[in-house]
Amino acid sequence: MTLELDRQSARAWTVRQARRVRALSPRRSDWASVRLGRDLPAGLMVGLVALPLALGFGVSSGLGATAGLVTAVIAGAVAAVFGGSRVQVSGPTGAMTVVLVPIIATYGTHGVLVVGLMAGVVLIALGYVGAGRYIRYVPVPVVEGFTLGIAAIILLQQVPAALGVHAEGEKVLGQALGAVGVWASHPVWPSVAVAAAVVAGVLGLARLRPGVPWALVVVVLATAANSVLGLGIATIGAVPAGLPAPSLPSMAVSDLSSLLLPAVAVAALAALESLLSATVSDAMSVGQRHDSDRELVGQGLANLAAPLFGGIPATAAIARTAVNVRSGASSRLAALTHAAVLLVIVLVASRWVAMIPTAALAGVLVATAVQMVRVSSLGALLRSSRGDAVVLVGTAAATVLLDLVMAVLLGLVMAGFFVLRQAASSARLEEVPLDESDHVDEELALLDEHIVAYRIDGPIFFGAAHDFLLELTEVSDVRVVVLRMSRVSVIDATGATVLADTISRLEARGISVLLSGVRPQHERILRELGVYDGLAHEKHLFTTTPGAIEHARVHAARVAHDPSATPPETDAVDPASPAGRHTGEWPA
């Protein structure tokens, strides 16, 4: 009997694991959204944008331009097939380069390749156990501070190449200062001029025509100028006309234990950046929802494949993903096309790629670092609350002065401290009658009118925002959503950002959103972080719920009305009205 039970348990366990593997594997439905007329042009555009970035990040990592191209081709193709987002584009990124530089200095080329393989295994394990959902607990100030710090590091890394000198120093800040000192003693003007021209060209032209791959155009012009005018600027050197043959990196077994911690750091960064990029792509594309666990598995497989061909660890790239979405991509075919475009360039244009000046690539990466920083978003966070400002600045500083993983951990600790402090200061002990009505019957009755009224109780901060607010985007057969905010005790930057994203998604689907009972102490953060901007009209903000419900009925009935007119602020809905169902007193 015991043996039979053991067999049944083993069989059930095997079935569960098989289902889990199947859920994380590619499926036919992945390709149901293919639109050749949209995906192929989008993939071509992303490939042209990715070429100078792949070369630049490969050079910055220390493994060379070939490693960057190989990573973009191999990791980009594997992640496109196995990842959890249909519009995500993967490859070498600035954030990953920042982590790899000290690893290369300590363990050499083969050490980095082994770290990539180990990180791939860690990512697959994280996806299998369902760790992807925890990305939602990273607060917005931590993400923005992290991004700001990475942008600063990328910029500092390019200082020696932009100045045309070589310098040694502790960390990137020391190297940048050393390069400035060397250049000051022996100025090299051609490199500075080319780098400055590339930065100005990329940033300036991108403002005029955002959809054109100006980075590639400017790099081509800089390469021609260096060759024709004989400026003497160092170039990236020979690039193989094809992909290297796959092989396992050589590394002593005794050294693997020392690589475990760097591999975990690489995996943590890849998971963080990939899932954040997938979240951004969801917000940019109506109806797009990524599978976070499958995305981790896809990135893990990409990092297993790329090192076999000499590539560096990869992650999803927010900038390239954004270009992909803006170019009209609708399926994974666009990301695959991007990889194919880069492969063709490697096969037929490697001799011209070798002539690109390093100063030009440095200019492209400096421009990329500048474009990573969203000044309006940073300003809004700095103005929203003192706690969010401290978390943002502290995370950015830790990213530059310490390391990326420590910066995220420090940011989470600071964010948790301020949220707990705010929640504790807002706590009140009140006597509540046992027979108090929450108007559940009235709320349910509104469903018949295609109206949903939600009352949000307690705090909306980074630990709770996603669980409730993102579910709102799944509502169906609803024309109006009323969010009753009077009982919100605490709201932080992440909660406000998710609320703004939720409102934008609902409005994009034709569902009107009304807010009622917003507390005065919450108005500033909601306004600064774009919650009010997401509403269809400024008149969709109500002081009391009855007025919001009355106006909601106008929208639900598709009655023509003047949105600039002052909406009614009655204390109760008229039961004699044709749509009237509420006969009691709604609290704000």
Side-chain angles (χ1 to χ4, degrees):
M1 184 66 178
T2 302
L3 181 60
E4 182 63 26
L5 289 175
D6 289 342
R7 288 178 177 175
Q8 291 179 356
S9 299
R11 189 179 300 111
W13 182 86
T14 303
V15 171
R16 287 197 302 271
Q17 305 316 308
R19 288 176 179 171
R20 182 59 177 163
V21 171
R22 191 160 52 248
L24 298 173
S25 301
R27 53 192 73 110
R28 183 177 300 178
S29 60
D30 292 342
W31 305 97
S33 58
V34 170
R35 301 292 183 272
L36 294 178
R38 299 175 60 183
D39 292 326
L40 294 180
L44 175 61
M45 180 64 70
V46 178
L48 296 177
V49 170
L51 175 61
L53 295 178
L55 294 170
F57 289 134
V59 172
S60 295
S61 70
L63 264 67
T66 301
L69 281 174
V70 167
T71 304
V73 173
I74 301 299
V78 173
V81 175
F82 293 93
S85 170
R86 70 171 186 260
V87 295
Q88 189 99 281
V89 180
S90 299
T93 63
M96 188 61 73
T97 301
V98 170
V99 174
L100 296 180
V101 170
I103 297 176
I104 293 174
T106 305
Y107 302 103
T109 300
H110 285 278
V112 171
L113 300 180
V114 173
V115 165
L117 292 171
M118 297 172 67
V121 174
V122 173
L123 286 167
I124 293 173
L126 289 174
Y128 185 80
V129 300
R133 62 183 178 274
Y134 294 111
I135 188 66
R136 68 187 62 177
Y137 297 114
V138 180
V140 168
V142 175
V143 175
E144 293 292 344
F146 175 77
T147 304
L148 177 61
I150 289 174
I153 291 176
I154 293 173
L155 191 150
L156 292 171
Q157 281 180 335
Q158 308 315 311
V159 171
L163 297 178
V165 300
H166 179 74
E168 301 290 340
E170 287 292 326
K171 294 186 177 293
V172 291
L173 182 58
Q175 293 174 2
L177 293 176
V180 172
V182 172
W183 185 87
S185 60
H186 298 88
V188 183
W189 290 106
S191 295
V192 175
V194 167
V198 170
V199 173
V202 172
L203 296 179
L205 294 172
R207 293 177 64 88
L208 297 176
R209 294 288 298 274
V212 178
W214 291 115
L216 180 63
V217 174
V218 174
V219 166
V220 170
L221 294 176
T223 303
N226 187 46
S227 300
V228 174
L229 301 179
L231 300 178
I233 303 174
T235 61
I236 64 176
V239 176
L243 297 179
S247 62
L248 286 172
S250 59
M251 199 76 184
V253 177
S254 58
D255 294 335
L256 294 180
S257 59
S258 62
L259 295 176
L260 181 59
L261 189 58
V264 171
V266 168
L269 177 60
L272 179 66
E273 190 169 12
S274 297
L275 295 179
L276 289 176
S277 176
T279 302
V280 170
S281 69
D282 285 354
M284 294 179 65
S285 178
V286 177
Q288 160 75 5
R289 289 296 297 273
H290 72 280
D291 184 331
S292 56
D293 293 331
R294 187 178 166 190
E295 179 63 25
L296 290 178
V297 172
Q299 294 298 329
L301 292 173
N303 279 285
L304 282 177
L308 299 179
F309 293 85
I312 60 178
T315 178
I318 296 177
R320 274 158 274 179
T321 299
V323 171
N324 197 36
V325 175
R326 287 198 298 263
S327 300
S330 61
S331 76
R332 300 166 188 271
L333 181 61
L336 275 177
T337 302
H338 136 272
V341 168
L342 292 176
L343 178 59
V344 170
I345 292 173
V346 170
L347 295 176
V348 304
S350 58
R351 60 174 178 168
W352 293 301
V353 170
M355 300 169 61
I356 296 176
T358 55
L361 290 182
V364 171
L365 297 185
V366 169
T368 302
V370 172
Q371 291 171 329
M372 288 174 63
V373 179
R374 297 180 297 174
V375 177
S376 59
S377 177
L378 291 178
L381 285 171
L382 291 173
R383 294 189 300 268
S384 62
S385 70
R386 182 178 301 175
D388 290 330
V390 170
V391 172
L392 189 153
V393 174
T395 304
T399 301
V400 176
L401 301 176
L402 301 175
D403 63 71
L404 302 183
V405 177
M406 284 298 299
V408 172
L409 293 176
L410 181 62
L412 289 173
V413 170
M414 289 189 294
F417 168 77
F418 284 110
V419 166
L420 291 175
R421 179 185 177 189
Q422 191 176 7
S425 64
S426 65
R428 298 288 186 274
L429 182 63
E430 299 179 355
E431 182 178 355
V432 180
L434 293 178
D435 60 348
E436 181 183 54
S437 172
D438 285 337
H439 302 276
V440 175
D441 293 337
E442 288 90 338
E443 291 177 347
L444 291 176
L446 286 172
L447 291 175
D448 296 335
E449 305 173 49
H450 307 286
I451 299 172
V452 173
Y454 286 104
R455 190 189 69 201
I456 307 176
D457 287 344
I460 306 179
F461 59 94
F462 68 85
H466 290 75
D467 294 334
F468 165 70
L469 292 174
L470 290 186
E471 291 181 2
L472 283 180
T473 61
E474 302 298 329
V475 296
S476 58
D477 196 29
V478 169
R479 297 175 181 174
V480 187
V481 170
V482 178
L483 297 181
R484 302 165 59 193
M485 306 282 289
S486 64
R487 297 195 185 184
V488 174
S489 58
V490 174
I491 184 166
D492 71 347
T494 303
T497 301
V498 176
L499 179 58
D501 178 61
T502 301
I503 292 173
S504 297
R505 292 193 192 192
L506 290 172
E507 291 284 354
R509 292 174 51 195
I511 300 175
S512 299
V513 180
L514 314 179
L515 299 184
S516 70
V518 175
R519 293 186 177 186
Q521 63 266 34
H522 299 154
E523 289 183 352
R524 179 180 177 183
I525 190 171
L526 295 180
R527 183 179 298 105
E528 293 288 352
L529 295 180
V531 174
Y532 291 170
D533 295 338
L535 298 174
H537 195 273
E538 60 185 7
K539 297 296 185 180
H540 285 184
L541 187 64
F542 296 81
T543 57
T544 63
T545 298
I549 295 297
E550 185 70 15
H551 195 68
R553 288 194 166 105
V554 174
H555 278 277
R558 300 292 193 253
V559 175
H561 63 285
D562 181 4
S564 64
T566 303
E569 286 287 2
T570 56
D571 292 331
V573 175
D574 182 4
S577 64
R581 300 198 188 281
H582 173 59
T583 57
E585 293 291 326
W586 286 84

